[in-house]
Amino acid sequence: MKKIKLLLSLTAFLIFAAGIIFYFHYGTPWDLISTKNKYQTYLEEKYKKTFVIDEISYDVFHERYYAFAHAKDEPEIIFNIGPGLIKTDILDSYQVETWNHQINIEWEPIVKKLYPDNSGFNIEVVDFDHKIADSPIIPHYNDVAIVGIGISVDQIMITDENRQRELNRAFKFTKFVKETRVKFSYFQLSFKNKIVQIPPEEFKSVDDVTDLEKWLVEYK
């Protein structure tokens, strides 16, 4: 009899513990299902296509749900969806991640061609025209977005021997950037001991390799 009571007590405790763990990760089951359906409905009404909610988690301290999702026909574009500053609002990053995907497709080949030795590059949307935030149609990033451009080759130390070679490569990249007609907030090419930083308003003045000289500076 004691063994049965002990077993029942242990089972009850495990069920209770599992419930607490579930709540901390997912909230209540009914809220989880309700929020998942709400997010999916919001996305499909906004963008007029089918979406899949991949993962959903619960912020127990703020009592809010956050999720990862993707359009059914674009499984490679994973984005966030969750509440805004006002709990009843819903915000998603589908537009931004779509633009980042476009950028990656267009920019990655040239970055890898010019800088196969890069230790990392970050070219992504940092701002956009918020007038199209509620539009179901997502234009090309070049029409509405501002990007940040950063490439790191921090294993390369600029010396007298390689300075001209690195300036030549950098100039080829600036030509590509100009050809894209992209709007950007910063342009940064980082070496081990120096950095090329060109303000957007000065970018048009870079017409040849010698124009890059003044933008290749020591780290401060």
Side-chain angles (χ1 to χ4, degrees):
M1 190 69 178
K2 287 183 178 180
K3 287 184 177 180
I4 293 175
K5 286 184 177 179
L6 181 61
L7 183 60
L8 289 174
S9 297
L10 181 60
T11 302
F13 173 77
L14 290 175
I15 292 173
F16 175 76
I20 293 296
I21 292 171
F22 183 92
Y23 178 77
F24 268 83
H25 284 84
Y26 303 107
T28 63
W30 46 91
D31 281 342
L32 175 67
I33 294 170
S34 173
T35 302
K36 186 174 181 179
N37 290 337
K38 182 171 69 174
Y39 284 173
Q40 189 155 0
T41 300
Y42 161 85
L43 290 170
E44 293 178 354
E45 288 183 351
K46 179 178 179 179
Y47 295 109
K48 314 302 180 188
K49 59 196 305 184
T50 303
F51 285 84
V52 177
I53 305 297
D54 295 311
E55 295 179 34
I56 188 165
S57 60
Y58 184 60
D59 180 349
V60 68
F61 298 107
H62 298 95
E63 298 182 328
R64 294 181 172 206
Y65 284 95
Y66 298 89
F68 291 105
H70 70 267
K72 191 174 182 180
D73 60 347
E74 296 170 319
E76 70 280 6
I77 303 177
I78 306 296
F79 62 92
N80 299 303
I81 180 170
L85 293 177
I86 300 173
K87 195 174 179 179
T88 53
D89 289 345
I90 300 176
L91 298 177
D92 70 271
S93 61
Y94 179 51
Q95 291 174 322
V96 171
E97 294 307 329
T98 297
W99 293 325
N100 284 336
H101 183 67
Q102 292 172 354
I103 291 169
N104 190 60
I105 290 173
E106 293 178 18
W107 290 62
E108 186 176 23
I110 190 68
V111 171
K112 288 188 173 181
K113 180 180 179 180
L114 288 175
Y115 292 99
D117 47 357
N118 80 83
S119 56
F121 65 92
N122 187 37
I123 303 167
E124 63 181 12
V125 173
V126 295
D127 200 4
F128 62 95
D129 183 351
H130 291 266
K131 292 178 183 177
I132 55 93
D134 295 322
S135 172
I137 300 172
I138 301 179
H140 191 272
Y141 73 91
N142 241 4
D143 297 325
V144 291
I146 298 173
V147 306
I149 303 169
I151 300 177
S152 176
V153 277
D154 55 9
Q155 76 278 22
I156 296 177
M157 178 173 286
I158 298 296
T159 63
D160 291 340
E161 287 74 24
N162 67 9
R163 182 184 182 90
Q164 193 58 49
R165 183 190 70 203
E166 294 304 330
L167 283 171
N168 287 339
R169 301 210 263 187
F171 180 65
K172 288 179 181 178
F173 187 57
T174 62
K175 283 182 66 177
F176 170 77
V177 174
K178 281 186 177 182
E179 288 168 1
T180 66
R181 300 186 181 280
V182 69
K183 294 178 282 291
F184 63 91
S185 61
Y186 64 86
F187 177 96
Q188 182 171 299
L189 177 58
S190 306
F191 299 94
K192 189 172 184 177
N193 59 330
K194 292 181 181 290
I195 187 169
V196 175
Q197 285 182 309
I198 309 175
E201 64 273 13
E202 298 287 347
F203 208 76
K204 289 182 179 179
S205 67
V206 181
D207 293 321
D208 55 44
V209 176
T210 57
D211 293 329
L212 277 178
E213 287 280 355
K214 68 177 180 179
W215 303 115
L216 178 65
V217 298
E218 300 283 345
Y219 273 115
K220 295 182 180 179

